[in-house]
Amino acid sequence: MKELNPFITKGYVSKDLFCNRETELKILENNFNNNIDTTLISPRRMGKTGLIYRFFDLLNNKNGDFITIYADIFSSRSLEDFIKLLAEAILHYYPEKTFFGRKFLQIIKGFRPLISYDGITGEPQVSITYQTPQEKELTLRGLFDFFERQDKRVMLAIDEFQQITEYPEKNAEALLRTYIQQLNNVNFIFSGSKTTLMLDIFSNSKRPFFSMTQYLSLKKIDRKTYCDFIVRKFEENKRTIDDSTVNFILDWTLSHTYYTQVLCNRVFSSGRKNVDIQCAKKACAEILQQNEEIYLQYRQLLTAGQWNFLIAIAREERVTQLTAQNFLSKYGIGTPANARRLSKALIDKDLLLSESTVDSVYYQVYDVFFMRWLQEIYSFNFRKPSPESHS
C-alpha cells in the first residue's frame, strides 16, 4: 500500500492531518450553538476552507444531525451565477440518490432546471433559464426557503463572499440580506480573502449586512504548535526531522499554512528517513525552479516600475512604511505618491498583500514562493529603475 503523504496541500482529509485551530473551532461552534453567523477573513491559502471542513467534521461527529454545505462563489459574476453555484453545491454534498438530494430536486423542478454531470469529474452542473429578474429572485428565495423547511439545522458556508460586490444587480446585497435575516434554521459562515471588501460589507453602516455577524480573523498557526505537528507527522511515519530543519522550513515559508504544507509535502516525498536542512533547501530550490515560468510571466504583465517595486518589497520581506524616505531612496522608487500608486496597482493584482496589525499596516509579496524567488534572483544584481519607469 502506498504511503500517504501527511502534509495535505488541498482539501480536507481528516482531523489527524489538520493542524490545530482549536480556538477558531471553539468560536465557530459557539457561534453556531448560539445562532450567530460568522464572517471569516484571512489572506488566500491561510487555511479558511480547511477550517470550514474541519468544523463540518466536528459538527457531524458530535451529533450528525446537521446539514453542512460549502459553496465557493469565487467564479460568480452575477446573481444568476450565485444561484447556480449554490444549487451545484447542494447536489455535490447531497446527490440525487440521497433523501435530501431527492427532496431538493423536487423543489427546484418548479424552476425548470437543466441538470447534467461533468463527464470527467462527475460534478453536477445546473442551468436555469430566467425570463425576468423577478424569476431569478424567486429562485433564490426558493433555495433559502427549502433550507428553512428542513427538520435538521443547516450550516451553510459561502466562500469568497466579497464577489457579490461585483454583481451587476445593484440590489444583490439587499436581496440576500432580506432573505437571510428571515431564516431561523440556517446559520452562515461568510468567508473571504479580500479584507477591505469584506470589512466594508459587514462594518459599513450604509450597507445591508452591517453588524449581522461576528468576525473571525484567521492568522498564522502558533509556531510551536506547527513545529510539534510537523515533527509528529514525520515520527508517525518512522522518520526523523530535527528542530533546526523545522525552524528553517517555517522561516522560509513565513509559517504561512499553504506554503508550509507544500514544502513539507515535498520534503516528505523525497523518501529520506532522516531529514536535515540540506534536504529542505533542495526541496526549496525544486519548488522555485518549477514555478519559474509563472514568475517570468508576471514580469511580462507588469510595468518596469511595478516589477522593481515588487523586488524592493521582496528584499525587505516586510515593509511597514512604504513612503519612508530611506525605503524610497534605497530602491529609487521616487515620491511617496508614486509608492502609493504602485502599491495600489499591485494589491489590485493580488501580487502585494496589505495586512493590518494593532500597531501598523505592513506590506509583503502575496505569494511567499514568489517572494523567495525574487530574493534569489535579485539578491546581488538589483538595479534601480530609471525615473521614467515610475509607472
Side-chain angles (χ1 to χ4, degrees), residues 257-275:
T257 306
Y258 171 77
Y259 304 101
T260 302
Q261 291 292 117
V262 169
L263 181 52
C264 286
N265 181 286
R266 177 61 66 96
V267 170
F268 188 90
S269 70
S270 71
R272 292 278 296 273
K273 292 297 183 182
N274 301 296
V275 176

Side-chain angles (χ1 to χ4, degrees), residues 319-342:
V319 177
T320 55
Q321 297 291 331
L322 283 181
T323 58
Q325 190 55 49
N326 60 343
F327 174 71
L328 299 176
S329 300
K330 182 177 181 179
Y331 296 103
I333 293 167
T335 65
N338 191 57
R340 285 190 288 267
R341 184 166 57 251
L342 289 168

Side-chain angles (χ1 to χ4, degrees), residues 313-363:
I313 298 292
R315 291 190 65 187
E316 296 294 321
E317 198 158 298
R318 174 182 284 196
V319 177
T320 55
Q321 297 291 331
L322 283 181
T323 58
Q325 190 55 49
N326 60 343
F327 174 71
L328 299 176
S329 300
K330 182 177 181 179
Y331 296 103
I333 293 167
T335 65
N338 191 57
R340 285 190 288 267
R341 184 166 57 251
L342 289 168
S343 64
K344 182 181 184 307
L346 292 168
I347 288 171
D348 289 344
K349 295 176 186 293
D350 281 341
L351 291 174
L352 191 66
L353 173 66
S354 170
E355 282 284 278
S356 299
T357 65
V358 174
D359 301 317
S360 63
V361 177
Y362 73 85
Y363 301 83

Side-chain angles (χ1 to χ4, degrees), residues 362-376:
Y362 73 85
Y363 301 83
Q364 69 179 56
V365 177
Y366 209 132
D367 184 328
V368 176
F369 291 161
F370 182 33
M371 178 190 75
R372 295 305 184 198
W373 182 82
L374 288 171
Q375 291 172 343
E376 186 78 17

Side-chain angles (χ1 to χ4, degrees), residues 39-53:
T39 296
L40 176 61
I41 305 174
S42 82
R44 286 183 290 116
R45 297 178 171 180
M46 192 63 77
K48 294 188 302 299
T49 303
L51 174 63
I52 290 169
Y53 278 111

